[in-house]
Amino acid sequence: MLLLALDTATPAVTVALHDGEAVIASSSQVDARRHGELLLPAVDRVLADAGLTLDAVTGIVVGIGPGPYTGLRVGLMTADTFGLALGVPVHGVCTLDGLAYAADLDGPFVVATDARRKEVYWARYADSRTRVTGPAVDRPADIADEVAGLPAVGAGALLYPDTFPSAHEPEHVSAAALASLAAERLAAGVELPAPRPLYLRRPDAQVPKNYKVVTPK
């Protein structure tokens, strides 16, 4: 097994290689505006660090969000392209699950990432491998009662301390965590989700209302 994992659902552009037993190379850069520019060089860098070429990859793992439309589709389209070019399966993993796995907290907790518009993408977990609710997108104040008293992980938790007073690292997801979680689940025979995006809401860019179409006579 050689899994190439990547995620662009958060401001982090993150890539990793997993050989079925451990992560053998990884790269993460935080830049919310340069997902498309940074992703492929990161893939090249990780492969070079591992001393491998792309055709050695036996499967692709990609974070499916939730996340903003523009950033999320960069990773998903790249994963689909690699899968088609190499003839290997593409596996989806919820980005929040990757954060939960990396946090490795004992007992119930919450993962929350920044959804912009003063909202968070969030989910509740029984432990680092078991999601019990979500993912969903809400204003922090609207979920305060649901998450009260629970530790929280992610950039969304750090942004809204009134709702998430007990916030923990990591701030952003890492492809290393996604790859490790995917490898663990695949080894156990668990079927991973299809690589389809969890947008949870419509994209920020909208066609203006009362848009007037002008066609030549």
Side-chain angles (χ1 to χ4, degrees):
M1 177 187 293
L2 184 65
L3 298 175
L4 172 65
L6 50 95
D7 193 293
T8 58
T10 75
V13 179
T14 179
V15 179
L17 282 172
H18 196 290
D19 66 2
E21 295 183 0
V23 173
I24 58 174
S26 64
S27 170
S28 291
Q29 297 171 270
V30 177
D31 192 327
R33 298 180 180 274
R34 300 172 65 206
H35 289 103
E37 180 181 344
L38 296 176
L39 182 56
L40 290 180
V43 172
D44 288 340
R45 184 165 56 252
V46 166
L47 287 166
D49 288 347
L52 297 168
T53 57
L54 188 59
D55 57 7
V57 170
T58 62
I60 310 294
V61 176
V62 61
I64 59 175
Y69 178 82
T70 302
L72 183 53
R73 67 179 179 175
V74 171
L76 285 161
M77 291 297 292
T78 301
D80 279 342
T81 300
F82 282 154
L84 286 171
L86 298 171
V88 300
V90 181
H91 308 287
V93 176
C94 175
T95 297
L96 302 185
D97 290 356
L99 272 161
Y101 186 83
D104 197 25
L105 294 176
D106 294 327
F109 64 97
V110 177
V111 173
T113 60
D114 183 16
R116 305 174 186 171
R117 304 185 193 175
K118 298 182 180 179
E119 294 178 330
V120 292
Y121 297 117
W122 70 284
R124 191 164 54 191
Y125 291 79
D127 54 53
S128 61
R129 293 170 173 80
T130 311
R131 176 162 31 101
V132 293
T133 62
V137 58
D138 290 288
R139 287 181 176 268
D142 293 341
I143 60 171
D145 290 342
E146 294 184 65
V147 304
L150 294 176
V153 172
L158 295 169
L159 277 173
Y160 301 101
D162 289 345
T163 300
F164 307 102
S166 180
H168 298 260
E169 295 289 341
E171 183 175 358
H172 302 301
V173 72
S174 73
L178 284 179
S180 297
L181 178 58
E184 184 178 294
R185 289 178 172 173
L186 289 170
V190 176
E191 184 176 351
L192 297 179
R196 297 294 174 263
L198 291 170
Y199 290 130
L200 301 189
R201 68 184 184 201
R202 296 179 64 83
D204 292 335
Q206 300 284 338
V207 176
K209 293 181 178 180
N210 303 318
Y211 181 73
K212 185 175 182 180
V213 177
V214 178
T215 56
K217 294 183 179 179

